[in-house]
Amino acid sequence: MKKKIKKYKENIILDNLKIITAIKILNKVKLKTLIVIDKNNKLIGTLTDGDIRRALLKGHSVNNSIFSIVNKKPIKKKIGKELIKFKGAKIIPLVDNNNKVINIEVKEKKK
């Protein structure tokens, strides 16, 4: 189930990016969820195209920061704790006790 963070590093973005930049990144990545971190690698939340669509419908500009539209209560897994289920998420940040992202877990498609 675990994949190396290297493989999905393009899904990790900083919290100070503009919405338009996040849209461009989402358009390029395979997994359509972005993991948002601060400059210290601490998890801020996740961002999906649905989050962006809802923000635009509420009047946000594509030039606004993503910080205000990020899901700040994402599904995450802490080291040493079991994740009960993915609950629809395809990509989940694995964090240490300081909430720093250390890896990413990806739900594999069943064949």
Side-chain angles (χ1 to χ4, degrees), residues 27-41:
N27 199 40
K28 291 180 183 177
V29 295
K30 180 179 176 184
L31 298 171
K32 301 303 179 185
T33 300
L34 300 177
I35 296 171
V36 182
I37 60 171
D38 67 11
K39 64 182 180 182
N40 297 314
N41 205 37

Side-chain angles (χ1 to χ4, degrees), residues 70-86:
V70 169
N71 171 12
K72 294 187 176 84
K73 294 183 178 181
I75 296 171
K76 64 183 178 181
K77 181 178 176 185
K78 287 193 176 182
I79 290 181
K81 305 235 176 175
E82 286 297 316
L83 181 67
I84 296 169
K85 47 174 136 164
F86 270 79

Side-chain angles (χ1 to χ4, degrees), residues 57-103:
L57 288 171
K58 289 179 182 177
H60 288 263
S61 164
V62 292
N63 293 314
N64 288 1
S65 167
I66 62 168
F67 189 81
S68 64
I69 68 169
V70 169
N71 171 12
K72 294 187 176 84
K73 294 183 178 181
I75 296 171
K76 64 183 178 181
K77 181 178 176 185
K78 287 193 176 182
I79 290 181
K81 305 235 176 175
E82 286 297 316
L83 181 67
I84 296 169
K85 47 174 136 164
F86 270 79
K87 296 183 184 177
K90 291 187 172 97
I91 182 170
I92 296 178
L94 177 62
V95 297
D96 65 12
N97 291 330
N98 295 316
N99 209 37
K100 289 187 177 188
V101 177
I102 58 165
N103 207 344

